[in-house]
Amino acid sequence: MWQNLSLRARINVLLALLLALGLAVNIGRQVAEAGPRVQAEDQSVIRLAREFIEMIVADLNEAPDPDARLNQIARDLSRLRHVSIALHDSGGNPLTPPRPDADEDTRAPPAWFVSLVHPEQTAVSVPVSIHGKPGSLRITSHPDDEIAEIWDGIVTQLEVGSVIALALFLVMMTVVGRALAPLQSLSQAMAELEGGHYEARVIAGGAPELAAICTKLNHLAATLGEAVEDKRRLAERTVSLQDIERKEIARELHDEFGPYLFSLRAHASALAKLADGKAPSAEAVRKHGSALLEQINALQQFTRRVLERLRPVGLAELGLGQALESLSRLWRESHPDVTIETAISPKLGETGETADLTIYRVVQEALTNVFRHAGATTVNVVIEPADQPTRDGRLCARVRVSDNGRGMEPGQKLGFGLVGMRERILALGGTLSVVSGDGGLTVEALVPTAAA
């Protein structure tokens, strides 16, 4: 049952129990102190009454009528509040009428309380002798007024304490309710977040701790919304980049592969016509043959570049260094006026297949941009271990490709290739930055490696 109660209900139940326990302890303390209090009152009254009677009775025989004087003393002392005095003969029989019962009070203590506080009456006999006739004055305590006063105090304490406890309980219920009010909003917001509604927000309120939780939940919802939106944009851009890459490959095939094939067909047709002639010229055959070889060589280079874009040839077999050297050689053959310097630190060590492919793609994309847009004459490629690890403790490889070209125009956005590469590296847990200045463009990437 306790497990099924809400936090607010648990706090209210505990508060009610504490208030009830405090009130019960206070009432129990007064009840426990009532017995010694009544007993002390009895002893005090009886002692005083006994001393008073002994003082009066000492001169009783000197009175003109001792019997009348003794009866008068007994009647006068019977009107005392907490004690009754009765005259008894030598046989113990009462010689004076009993004390009349007090009027019943509407708030008289119950019998169980009287039995608990004062179960037995206290009585003391003082012997008296008049002209040799023995007798006694019996002093009996009657602490009814004291017990009634104590009971009245307990009832008053119970009533006042109950009212105060109820008021405190209501006040605390209100305070706790307002303090825990954000919990319902938090639960509702979490349910909306679970359903994918990342725009859900909670109004910060209540206790400082709950207000801080509300603020952090709002920040978390905003972060989740941004992450989901980034994921959606990434998926959309991935599809877009795939289409763009296919279109680029198709354009290159159309613009470069098509002319090569047309030229090969033209030279082959020319050779066929020469072969049909009676005496083909050796110079003409040599001319068409050289043209065919030149076109085939160019076609092979173009095919290798396309294959390198699709999948690096020999990366897994030859390693990262040989694959990058092969990539640089291809660009040098097509652009002999540009100097490409590649340096791989010997401290880099094993990086893993995924990191090798990512590093290769970064260099490939950076070189493609250099030769398409930068107009540079020198390109430096540096690959070395990075100083700082990733958040999960993995080491990183730093890839830096810098050129002495014209850089980027102010406000110019990155191309789809670098944007796609940045998102790919971010997915691996790394970073990619592009810095443009008067001295050219620098592409720097931190690629997590498989090394621990």
Side-chain angles (χ1 to χ4, degrees):
M1 178 180 178
W2 178 259
Q3 298 296 332
N4 297 329
L5 294 177
S6 63
L7 178 59
R8 181 183 301 177
R10 294 183 184 185
I11 294 177
N12 290 333
V13 170
L14 290 175
L15 180 61
L17 291 177
L18 287 175
L19 292 175
L21 180 61
L23 184 60
V25 168
N26 191 25
I27 298 300
R29 179 184 61 81
Q30 293 190 11
V31 172
E33 293 176 354
R37 180 178 170 183
V38 172
Q39 186 177 1
E41 182 73 15
D42 277 357
Q43 294 176 356
S44 176
V45 169
I46 289 179
R47 184 177 65 254
L48 292 175
R50 182 173 184 174
E51 293 176 355
F52 180 69
I53 290 175
E54 289 177 348
M55 182 180 63
I56 295 176
V57 171
D59 301 330
L60 186 62
N61 290 323
E62 299 177 0
D65 189 355
D67 292 329
R69 177 62 177 166
L70 181 61
N71 291 330
Q72 183 64 37
I73 291 173
R75 285 194 298 272
D76 293 339
L77 293 178
S78 295
R79 292 195 294 268
L80 296 177
R81 179 183 178 187
H82 296 298
V83 68
S84 64
I85 301 175
L87 180 62
H88 292 256
D89 58 15
S90 59
N93 299 316
L95 300 177
T96 56
R99 174 178 176 172
D101 296 334
D103 296 335
E104 293 186 359
D105 190 1
T106 55
R107 301 191 67 171
W112 65 267
F113 183 74
V114 175
S115 299
L116 179 65
V117 173
H118 194 263
E120 297 180 356
Q121 288 184 337
T122 303
V124 175
S125 296
V126 178
V128 294
S129 177
I130 302 175
H131 302 299
K133 183 180 178 181
S136 64
L137 287 173
R138 187 175 181 83
I139 306 172
T140 305
S141 65
H142 295 279
D144 298 339
D145 293 338
E146 183 69 19
I147 297 176
E149 183 179 347
I150 295 175
W151 174 254
D152 185 68
I154 292 176
V155 172
T156 303
Q157 179 69 24
L158 181 62
E159 293 174 351
V160 175
S162 299
V163 172
I164 294 176
L166 181 60
L168 287 176
F169 180 71
L170 294 177
V171 171
M172 293 303 298
M173 278 186 59
T174 304
V175 173
V176 170
R178 291 184 178 180
L180 300 181
L183 290 179
Q184 183 66 28
S185 301
L186 282 171
S187 177
Q188 183 178 357
M190 289 180 181
E192 293 181 2
L193 290 177
E194 184 180 3
H197 302 284
Y198 301 105
E199 69 280 359
R201 295 293 183 271
V202 183
I203 300 176
E209 294 82 0
L210 289 179
I213 293 176
C214 293
T215 302
K216 292 180 179 179
L217 180 65
N218 292 336
H219 179 69
L220 176 62
T223 304
L224 286 176
E226 293 175 359
V228 171
E229 181 63 22
D230 291 341
K231 182 180 178 180
R232 184 195 64 78
R233 288 197 301 264
L234 177 59
E236 181 180 353
R237 187 168 296 173
T238 300
V239 175
S240 176
L241 288 175
Q242 290 176 350
D243 293 337
I244 292 174
E245 189 173 17
R246 292 189 184 102
K247 290 178 183 179
E248 186 70 16
I249 294 175
R251 183 186 62 79
E252 290 186 0
L253 291 175
H254 179 271
D255 294 346
E256 298 191 29
F257 201 79
Y260 288 141
L261 292 178
F262 178 79
S263 178
L264 290 174
R265 182 176 182 179
H267 288 293
S269 298
L271 287 175
K273 290 181 180 179
L274 289 175
D276 292 340
K278 296 180 179 181
S281 172
E283 182 65 26
V285 173
R286 186 180 300 109
K287 176 182 177 181
H288 288 294
S290 299
L292 285 174
L293 290 175
E294 183 180 351
Q295 296 296 323
I296 291 172
N297 185 38
L299 188 59
Q300 285 179 337
Q301 292 183 5
F302 169 72
T303 303
R304 289 170 63 183
R305 287 200 304 271
V306 173
L307 291 176
E308 286 291 334
R309 289 186 57 188
L310 296 177
R311 177 70 182 179
V313 179
L315 179 61
E317 296 80 4
L318 302 178
L320 179 62
Q322 293 294 331
L324 290 177
E325 181 60 30
S326 176
L327 176 64
S328 300
R329 185 170 56 253
L330 285 177
W331 283 110
R332 291 192 195 99
E333 291 175 359
S334 59
H335 298 80
D337 56 332
V338 179
T339 302
I340 303 176
E341 297 180 358
T342 303
I344 301 179
S345 173
K347 298 180 180 179
L348 186 62
E350 295 293 333
T351 57
E353 182 179 357
T354 302
D356 287 346
L357 181 58
T358 304
I359 293 171
Y360 183 90
R361 290 303 189 192
V362 171
V363 176
Q364 183 184 43
E365 187 62 36
L367 291 178
T368 301
N369 287 334
V370 167
F371 291 106
R372 283 184 179 177
H373 310 294
T377 58
T378 302
V379 182
N380 293 318
V381 179
V382 178
I383 303 173
E384 59 186 0
D387 298 332
Q388 67 273 23
T390 59
R391 293 181 179 178
D392 54 2
R394 290 189 298 166
L395 301 179
C396 290
R398 186 190 306 277
V399 183
R400 184 185 296 109
V401 181
S402 57
D403 61 72
N404 61 348
R406 54 179 171 267
M408 298 176 61
E409 298 293 335
Q412 182 180 351
K413 295 183 179 180
L414 297 179
F416 287 106
L418 285 178
V419 171
M421 190 56 58
R422 170 182 286 174
E423 291 172 348
R424 175 174 179 170
I425 294 176
L426 287 176
L428 296 176
T431 60
L432 184 141
S433 60
V434 179
V435 180
S436 178
D438 297 336
L441 188 73
T442 300
V443 177
E444 183 172 320
L446 294 178
V447 181
T449 63

